[in-house]
Amino acid sequence: MADAVDRDVANMQGSEALPRKNGELVFEAPWQARALGMAVALSNQGLYPWDDFKCHLIAEVAEASERARESADSPAAAYYTSWLEALEHTLLDKGICSPEELERRTAEFASGAREEVY
Amino acid sequence: MSGDHSGGHHAGLPSDLEARVRALESLLVEKGITSSDAIDAVVAAYERDIGPMNGARVVARAWTDPEYKRWLLEDGTAAIEALGYGGAQGEHMVVLENTPTVHNLVVCTLCSCYPWPVLGLPPVWYKTPAYRARAVSEPRAVLAEFGLELPDDVEVRVWDSSAEIRYLVLPERPAGTEGLGEAALAALVTRDSMIGVGLPRVPATA
């Protein structure tokens, strides 16, 4: 299963392809690798087929590119922002998290009320 | 990585994006849906090493299946894709066969073009100016530094990768591996042997 998902990830070709420089994956901040790791790990575990996530990702990337002129983000930061949004939508779609708990938990980390992931 | 404090706009406080990522991870872990270890494992694989195993499977298949080998040498891109390893950058794959009289060595003199779908992320030395220059000017000396001393009657051919063409070396199948299956053979194939700076491992003494 894990191999098949890795292959699906590596084979993404269009606007949804992972950002690379000279063939190497580009991560500009730990959160970007973490977001990638979560999406792949959950699909590895069979929580959703990779294509489900990919559809959300393609939609988010398309939406972000319309806003791109106003954004000062690097390509990798813009891409992984879309990735994160796709992951949130996928999990909300599947009913794995509720919008309220996600919002509450995010606010706790943003304010420093919660620091550890565990 | 949860203890990381980089990238925040204010000391100690995470950015909005970091907060969202941590919130997701903490909810998923709390609900028992996944573990931080499972996420760590994926991140490590993607940061380091998604690929050399893919190339090793290609080589092992070529060692065991003469038809596949012929196809691989004739149309590397298609034969590699047939095993499920696509070139997401659309580059053309050319496979170079080592023989008792020819040893192939791959470099990218311009930057660090590399067949990542089959070999993963390039090693640091591959990208150094020293390797890029010396692989062309004095390949035997470079190989010797990697511990590979070739007899004088073996011709060394150096191949310069580009954005359009990526090379993969098909090393010679080690002696004494006649009884091994494809999976056991793949375990002998190293990344370095597919770049041409090394040879496959020799099986533990039978």
Side-chain angles (χ1 to χ4, degrees), chain A residues 34 37-38 40-42 44-45, chain B residues 34-43:
Chain A
R34 214 67 200 155
M38 270 191 276
V40 174
L42 294 174
N44 278 343
Q45 289 172 224
Chain B
T34 191
S35 64
S36 288
D37 286 349
I39 302 166
D40 285 345
V42 171
V43 171

Side-chain angles (χ1 to χ4, degrees), chain B residues 91-109:
Chain B
E91 68 268 22
H92 193 61
M93 287 292 310
V94 172
V95 177
L96 311 161
E97 184 184 16
N98 282 353
T99 69
T101 52
V102 174
H103 182 90
N104 295 288
L105 175 65
V106 178
V107 64
C108 176
T109 55

Side-chain angles (χ1 to χ4, degrees), chain A residues 3 6-7 9-11 20 22-25 31 33-34 38 45 85 88 96 101 105-106 109-111 117-118, chain B residues 13-14 17 20-21 23 25-26 30-31 33-34 36 39-40 43 46 57 84 86 88-89 112 116 122 127:
Chain A
D3 269 5
D6 283 343
R7 198 171 301 159
V9 175
N11 283 337
R20 289 178 183 273
N22 291 329
E24 282 192 66
L25 293 176
W31 69 265
R34 214 67 200 155
M38 270 191 276
Q45 289 172 224
E85 276 161 11
E88 288 172 348
I96 291 160
E101 67 183 344
R105 188 61 59 98
T106 302
F109 278 102
S111 69
V117 164
Y118 314 101
Chain B
L13 282 185
L17 292 163
R20 285 163 68 186
V21 169
E25 181 171 343
S26 98
E30 191 174 289
K31 290 168 187 280
I33 289 167
T34 191
S36 288
I39 302 166
D40 285 345
V43 171
Y46 278 72
R57 291 195 190 111
Q89 293 178 321
S112 57
W116 62 265
K127 300 183 278 185

Side-chain angles (χ1 to χ4, degrees), chain B residues 13-201:
Chain B
L13 282 185
S15 71
D16 168 54
L17 292 163
E18 284 170 336
R20 285 163 68 186
V21 169
R22 286 192 204 177
L24 275 182
E25 181 171 343
S26 98
L27 285 171
L28 291 168
V29 170
E30 191 174 289
K31 290 168 187 280
I33 289 167
T34 191
S35 64
S36 288
D37 286 349
I39 302 166
D40 285 345
V42 171
V43 171
Y46 278 72
E47 280 185 333
R48 196 166 13 109
D49 225 6
I50 193 170
M53 207 48 222
N54 294 352
R57 291 195 190 111
V58 170
V59 169
R61 173 66 60 88
W63 282 350
T64 53
D65 179 344
E67 269 307 303
Y68 182 79
K69 178 176 160 186
R70 199 167 308 136
W71 186 24
L72 183 67
L73 294 173
E74 211 174 85
D75 186 349
T77 310
I80 288 168
E81 263 176 22
L83 294 190
Y85 311 130
Q89 293 178 321
E91 68 268 22
H92 193 61
M93 287 292 310
V94 172
V95 177
L96 311 161
E97 184 184 16
N98 282 353
T99 69
T101 52
V102 174
H103 182 90
N104 295 288
L105 175 65
V106 178
V107 64
C108 176
T109 55
L110 207 58
C111 48
S112 57
C113 294
Y114 193 71
W116 62 265
V118 279
L119 291 188
L121 304 181
V124 173
W125 53 259
Y126 187 83
K127 300 183 278 185
T128 57
Y131 177 76
R132 285 155 44 195
R134 295 183 55 233
V136 176
S137 62
E138 43 175 349
R140 280 177 191 275
V142 170
L143 292 177
E145 285 163 28
F146 276 95
L148 184 54
E149 306 263 4
L150 293 172
D152 286 342
D153 59 347
V154 174
E155 178 194 351
V156 177
R157 293 186 188 158
V158 181
W159 301 80
D160 191 1
S161 311
S162 68
E164 288 80 33
I165 300 188
R166 306 292 164 97
Y167 298 101
L168 181 75
V169 174
L170 173 59
E172 283 187 277
R173 180 170 173 165
T177 58
E178 291 74 16
L180 297 183
E182 217 174 298
L185 287 170
L188 301 177
V189 182
T190 60
R191 177 195 65 202
D192 287 1
S193 73
M194 294 182 280
I195 301 175
V197 297
L199 298 177
R201 296 187 188 97

